């Protein structure tokens, strides 16, 4: 892809979707973000790149509203994936609003000066990496909650996703060739993250009969996460493509790995057994009424129900009562986990 490839793609899309005088063309014409917030680097986004990011902002905002509407029709105790999906959509909406406004960036001297990109500085959107730090950790959490794996494993894996984003940020802000050292650290974090998701967590998904949902979702997200370093190497790292081309590359990746993934989480909310995974929420709050009061546990043990089934306790305690029955099989509860 040549240095002007990103501009060519944007101009081609504009000519195909919006001729002169059309509503979309008028939107392009009214985009004055770079007039208000002036370019900060020699290699900076143009009005085309800004308009593309406004479109990505609108898409994520639209999906956010759709998921919000679906959540309102869902029972409170089954909203955990709706909440995660909303966060995964809201954070990119804010980040793309910032970048489309030509904000949240800083000029960084480039290491390589390619043909057509011979200027000394390049605009680096640090807000993009902040968004990755938040959304990648939320995506990791959403995946691991499908497996009932222990919290120590969840915390470690989320930490790897954060490290992955932070190393790419530090590398992007580094002016010398030492940036590639941080690039290697980022790849190391990625492969450790992939090991956790595909090797450590997958047996737990089989044990709780969620593997048919978990493995395709994990493989899907890991595929797109592997493409981010490629985009980084062509843009912030190698200065091969323009800032507009960078916006197109990252924008497509974000739509698939965040927008569509969030919709997938909402779909999975209808398929997963929340109670068995320990994700069942009480209608009246996180803690049962009367919990901690004198005689509470004695009352719960005396609650009516079929002997030996714990049905009465389940109706009173929600998910706590369910766990007390004891799920048969290996690793029935998180307390028994040895991972």
């Amino acid at each position: 892809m040549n240095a002007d490839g990103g501009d060519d793609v944007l101009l081609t899309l504009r000519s195909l979707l919006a001729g002169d005088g059309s509503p979309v063309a008028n939107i392009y014409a009214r985009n004055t973000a770079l007039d208000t917030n002036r370019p900060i680097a020699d290699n900076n986004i143009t009005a085309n790149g800004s308009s593309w990011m406004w479109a990505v902002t609108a898409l994520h905002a639209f999906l956010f509203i759709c998921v919000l509407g679906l959540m309102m029709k869902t029972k409170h105790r089954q909203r955990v994936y709706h909440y995660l999906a909303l966060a995964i959509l809201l954070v990119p909406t804010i980040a793309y609003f910032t970048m489309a406004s030509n904000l949240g960036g800083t000029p960084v001297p480039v290491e390589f000066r390619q043909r057509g990109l011979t200027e000394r500085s390049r605009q680096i959107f640090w807000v993009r990496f902040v968004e990755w730090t938040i959304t990648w950790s939320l995506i990791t959490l959403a995946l691991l909650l499908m497996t009932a794996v222990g919290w120590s494993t969840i915390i470690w894996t989320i930490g790897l996703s954060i490290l992955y984003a932070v190393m790419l940020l530090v590398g992007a802000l580094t002016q010398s060739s030492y940036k590639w050292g941080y690039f290697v650290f980022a790849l190391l974090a990625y492969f450790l993250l992939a090991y956790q998701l595909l090797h450590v967590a997958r047996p737990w998904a089989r044990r709780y009969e969620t593997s048919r949902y978990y493995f395709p979702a994990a493989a899907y997200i890991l595929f797109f996460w592997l493409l981010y370093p490629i985009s980084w190497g062509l843009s912030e790292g190698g200065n091969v493509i323009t800032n507009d081309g960078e916006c197109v590359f990252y924008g497509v990746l974000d739509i698939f790995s965040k927008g569509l993934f969030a919709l997938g989480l909402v779909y999975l909310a209808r398929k997963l057994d929340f109670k068995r995974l320990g994700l069942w929420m009480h209608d009246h709050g996180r803690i049962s009424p009367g919990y901690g009061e004198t005689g509470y546990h004695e009352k719960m043990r005396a609650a009516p129900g079929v002997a030996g089934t714990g049905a009465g306790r389940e109706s009173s305690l929600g998910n706590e009562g369910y766990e007390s029955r004891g799920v048969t099989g290996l690793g029935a509860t998180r307390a028994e986990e040895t991972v």
Side-chain angles (χ1 to χ4, degrees), residues 255-317:
I255 290 171
F256 279 94
S257 65
K258 294 161 191 172
L260 297 184
F261 181 81
L263 295 181
L265 288 181
V266 175
Y267 170 78
L268 287 178
R270 304 170 56 186
K271 302 292 184 179
L272 297 174
D273 187 343
F274 283 77
K275 190 171 291 186
R276 189 175 185 188
L277 293 172
L279 302 176
W280 192 262
M281 298 181 182
H282 298 294
D283 285 334
H284 44 67
R286 185 172 58 87
I287 300 177
S288 300
Y291 184 83
E293 296 179 2
T294 304
Y296 170 78
H297 295 289
E298 287 74 9
K299 292 179 181 179
M300 293 301 103
R301 282 194 290 268
V306 180
T309 64
R313 295 189 65 198
E314 180 181 350
S315 63
S316 300
L317 290 176

Side-chain angles (χ1 to χ4, degrees), residues 8-333:
D8 294 339
V9 171
L10 290 169
L11 291 173
T12 301
L13 289 174
R14 179 180 175 181
S15 64
L16 290 175
L17 299 176
D20 293 338
S22 68
V24 177
N26 291 334
I27 292 174
Y28 271 87
R30 290 198 301 266
N31 184 4
T32 60
L34 274 75
D35 296 330
T36 304
N37 304 306
R38 303 298 299 173
I40 59 174
D42 299 319
N43 296 317
N44 203 92
I45 64 168
T46 66
N48 290 329
S50 175
S51 297
W52 161 255
M53 289 194 287
W54 280 122
V56 179
T57 303
L59 176 61
H60 282 91
F62 173 75
L63 293 177
F64 175 84
I65 294 173
C66 291
V67 173
L68 184 63
L70 293 173
M71 186 196 71
M72 300 302 292
K73 298 180 179 181
T74 305
K75 295 180 180 179
H76 289 277
R77 60 182 62 186
Q78 294 178 322
R79 289 184 176 181
V80 59
Y81 277 113
H82 291 78
Y83 291 139
L84 288 172
L86 287 172
I88 291 170
L89 291 170
L90 179 59
V91 176
T93 300
I94 298 172
Y96 271 94
F97 172 85
T98 305
M99 292 185 290
S101 303
N102 199 38
L103 300 172
T106 186
V108 175
V110 298
E111 178 187 2
F112 303 107
R113 300 185 188 179
Q114 307 291 350
R115 181 175 61 87
L117 291 173
T118 58
E119 290 81 1
R120 296 181 178 181
S121 63
R122 183 184 181 97
Q123 180 185 29
I124 302 296
F125 283 116
W126 54 263
V127 70
R128 186 195 306 279
F129 299 92
V130 173
E131 181 259 309
W132 291 356
T133 302
I134 299 173
T135 53
W136 289 0
S137 60
L138 291 172
I139 291 171
T140 303
L141 175 62
L143 288 172
L144 293 179
L145 286 180
M146 299 182 200
T147 67
V149 74
W151 285 109
S152 58
T153 302
I154 291 176
I155 293 172
W156 163 245
T157 311
I158 289 176
L160 289 173
S161 69
I162 294 174
L163 181 65
Y164 185 29
V166 170
M167 289 299 96
L168 291 176
L169 169 61
V170 176
L173 296 177
T174 301
Q175 303 177 16
S176 66
S177 60
Y178 282 80
K179 68 172 60 182
W180 298 104
Y182 295 106
F183 179 77
V184 172
F185 288 134
L187 289 179
L188 175 62
Y190 169 81
F191 287 112
L192 288 174
L193 178 60
Y195 175 82
Q196 290 293 118
L197 293 177
L198 298 180
H199 180 74
V200 175
R202 192 178 180 187
W204 288 87
R206 290 199 196 100
R207 187 172 300 171
Y208 283 84
E209 301 177 352
T210 59
S211 182
R212 59 176 175 168
Y213 305 120
Y214 170 76
F215 180 72
Y220 174 87
I221 207 67
L222 285 172
F223 168 74
F224 284 103
W225 278 355
L226 186 59
L227 298 180
Y228 280 90
I230 297 176
S231 180
W232 187 96
L234 293 174
S235 51
E236 294 97 340
N239 197 41
V240 176
I241 60 178
T242 65
N243 291 70
D244 287 348
E246 165 193 328
C247 294
V248 173
F249 203 152
Y250 282 136
V252 172
L253 293 180
D254 287 337
I255 290 171
F256 279 94
S257 65
K258 294 161 191 172
L260 297 184
F261 181 81
L263 295 181
L265 288 181
V266 175
Y267 170 78
L268 287 178
R270 304 170 56 186
K271 302 292 184 179
L272 297 174
D273 187 343
F274 283 77
K275 190 171 291 186
R276 189 175 185 188
L277 293 172
L279 302 176
W280 192 262
M281 298 181 182
H282 298 294
D283 285 334
H284 44 67
R286 185 172 58 87
I287 300 177
S288 300
Y291 184 83
E293 296 179 2
T294 304
Y296 170 78
H297 295 289
E298 287 74 9
K299 292 179 181 179
M300 293 301 103
R301 282 194 290 268
V306 180
T309 64
R313 295 189 65 198
E314 180 181 350
S315 63
S316 300
L317 290 176
N319 195 56
E320 182 181 348
Y322 180 85
E323 291 179 352
S324 67
R325 288 189 311 203
V327 179
T328 58
L330 294 175
T333 64

